[in-house]
Amino acid sequence: MTLYLDQTLVFPNRLDNPMDWLSPYSHRPLYVEIGFGNGDFLRHLAGSLPEGLHVGIEVSQKCIDKAARKAAREKLDNIRLLFGDARFLLRECFPDETVDGVFMNFPCP
């Protein structure tokens, strides 16, 4: 089951690429976490840096659902989640020089 909680889930195949992440929001800087798993680090980062926009990329629908629920419960409106392969999404969905930092913690082989 896919949850649509506020603007948390983003489906790039339904939007123009590359996406304009920052214009509808005043969030800056823009951080991306690849393979966020249960979303703990992403949520910690979003809570620690509320002025930033934090985008998580994950290939597991189960992880997307869990992280979306937790972000909604914690009212973290500066998190966006992308479902798919980061190799494609980073290249196609982020305009050049817009990402301020990329995190990849304990990647699965």
Side-chain angles (χ1 to χ4, degrees):
M1 174 177 81
T2 300
L3 302 175
Y4 296 89
L5 303 170
D6 299 321
Q7 295 273 330
T8 303
L9 295 182
V10 178
F11 293 91
N13 59 335
R14 297 183 189 171
L15 301 171
D16 293 331
N17 295 336
M19 290 185 236
D20 186 1
W21 291 98
L22 301 174
S23 71
Y25 312 98
S26 60
H27 299 293
R28 191 70 175 152
L30 174 63
Y31 296 107
V32 176
E33 183 180 8
I34 298 170
F36 57 81
N38 63 15
D40 288 344
F41 178 78
L42 187 65
R43 291 187 343 271
H44 171 75
L45 196 61
S48 299
L49 299 168
E51 71 280 0
L53 182 62
H54 307 276
V55 179
I57 300 174
E58 181 58 67
V59 295
S60 165
Q61 184 66 49
K62 186 176 181 179
C63 290
I64 291 274
D65 291 343
K66 284 183 181 181
R69 273 192 230 101
K70 290 176 182 179
R73 186 171 42 243
E74 296 174 24
K75 296 182 177 22
L76 294 170
D77 65 351
N78 59 341
I79 289 180
R80 302 293 176 272
L81 304 176
L82 290 174
F83 176 71
D85 188 323
R87 293 173 292 187
F88 169 78
L89 294 174
L90 279 173
R91 181 182 68 240
E92 298 297 325
C93 296
F94 296 89
D96 293 341
E97 301 177 18
T98 58
V99 176
D100 296 291
V102 176
F103 299 92
M104 189 166 72
N105 300 307
F106 307 105
C108 295

